[in-house]
Amino acid sequence: MEKFVIKGGRCLNGEVVISGAKNAAVGIIPAVILSDEPCILENVPDISDVSISLRILHEMGAKVQTLSRDTFRIDASGINNYCVPYESARQMRASYYFLGALLGKFNKARVSMPGGCPLGDRPIDQHLKAFSALGARCNLDHGMIDVSADNLKGSQIYLDVVSVGATMNAMLAAVKAKGLSVIENAAKEPHIVDLANFLNSMGADIMGAGTDVIKIRGVGYLRGTTYSVIPDQIEAGTFMVAAAATGGDVLIKNVIPKHLESISNKLEKIGVNVEEFDDSVRVWVDGPLVKTNIKTMPHPGFPTDMQPQMATLLTLAEGTSIITEGVWEQRFRYVDELRRMGADISVDGKVAVVEGTGCLQGAPVKACDLRAGAALIIAGLAASGVTEVEDIHHIERGYDNLDKKLQALGGDIIKKHFPGSSVRKAI
Ligand code: EPZ
């Protein structure tokens, strides 16, 4: 079993280059299926969700070539299998994008119910609503989702819930449907705009991505393209918080500052300095951290995927902060682990009250999901003493070489292999 072993108390200083966005890449990779020619994807993050997505494409008959560490040439013309194997699909949430892409290209798909971070109920009713609106039949069959259509016809799609996944899946299914589709109450995250830009670079006709109304005119043919994935807003935010939590001074490069606005504004309220440049932000601390309140919302609100990391930072601030989780039912499971490090946080449903204790102590902790793991690493870097983070596979699903990037900034973090099970040792 592998763990991150962290010796806390060192300030992070220097420069870090942000990788491509996980939540854009996991939508764009399946979207290659829609193309009738080979595509080249650049700035793809080296994370396990991407490896699984590329493996699924390969298993379905696509040709996947690695041109460099972050660049892949994918020729999906040889796909002859419309079923995404259970074992691959259930390892991540984003496997459901293969439903939209396969349906959009072949009018049929069979994908297992998705996996992903345990954040409470994670239904896919809105995805299926979108597919049905376009004329598809959707069935759940022994843990597999079957969708098929005689032909897909453009339609009005009203999402009852602002859903990133359903918005992206509706785009994938509609892009070759006959006629006009209009997605209303669409999510507006940067990765949705990135998927739309990717599809348009292949010759799709999508307008309005990034607003709550997206119009898609179906096209008959999608050509090959070369496309670079946008930088990861949440990885950048994670490094911003890590710099603040350790009292460091870090230049975070290859970012789109506009995507970081809600995070930068919140950090400045806490007393962190944030200086924006064209494609980088500098984060440093030269005074006390103070309490603030956070409510996570769909974009452009404060991103839910930054909530655990901010909770760690607020444990180090003076005063009482209130965090309200506005997207997921259960996104405070990491609080028990932070308490092992001395955090004073009480949780009632979707609200957490954080008493700033100003310090944390190193302890053995477990990552229960991707962003919780990032929050625990930040806590370990800021704490006094040694922290061991278990179940780091969650973290490696969505962060590209996080330990090496932190080491380069002066963080004392190493990945260690420990024989035996993951049963927590009594200490
Ligand atoms: C995406 O999940 C991200 N994952 C999540 O990031 C992120 O937290 C979330 O969007 C919100 O920004 C990927 O992009 C792979 P949703 P997704 O559909 O698409 C409800 C990370 O850390 N809902 O926007 O699954 C749902 O229960 C991960 O990178 C329905 O009711 O999220 C939730 O309350 C964690 N029916 C809300 O909508 C549906 O059919 C938002 O979910 C779909 C969603």
Side-chain angles (χ1 to χ4, degrees), residues 119-120 294-296 304 307 322-336 339 345-353:
L119 304 172
I294 294 174
K295 179 170 172 48
T296 68
T304 176
Q307 184 256 88
I322 296 173
I323 300 176
T324 306
E325 172 54 49
V327 175
W328 295 108
E329 268 173 23
Q330 291 162 19
R331 195 165 204 167
F332 291 117
R333 293 174 64 225
Y334 63 89
V335 168
D336 279 340
R339 287 187 183 124
I345 304 176
S346 52
V347 175
D348 179 4
K350 293 190 167 189
V351 177
V353 178

Side-chain angles (χ1 to χ4, degrees), residues 286-297:
D286 56 11
L289 300 178
V290 296
K291 67 179 174 64
T292 191
N293 296 333
I294 294 174
K295 179 170 172 48
T296 68
M297 306 281 286

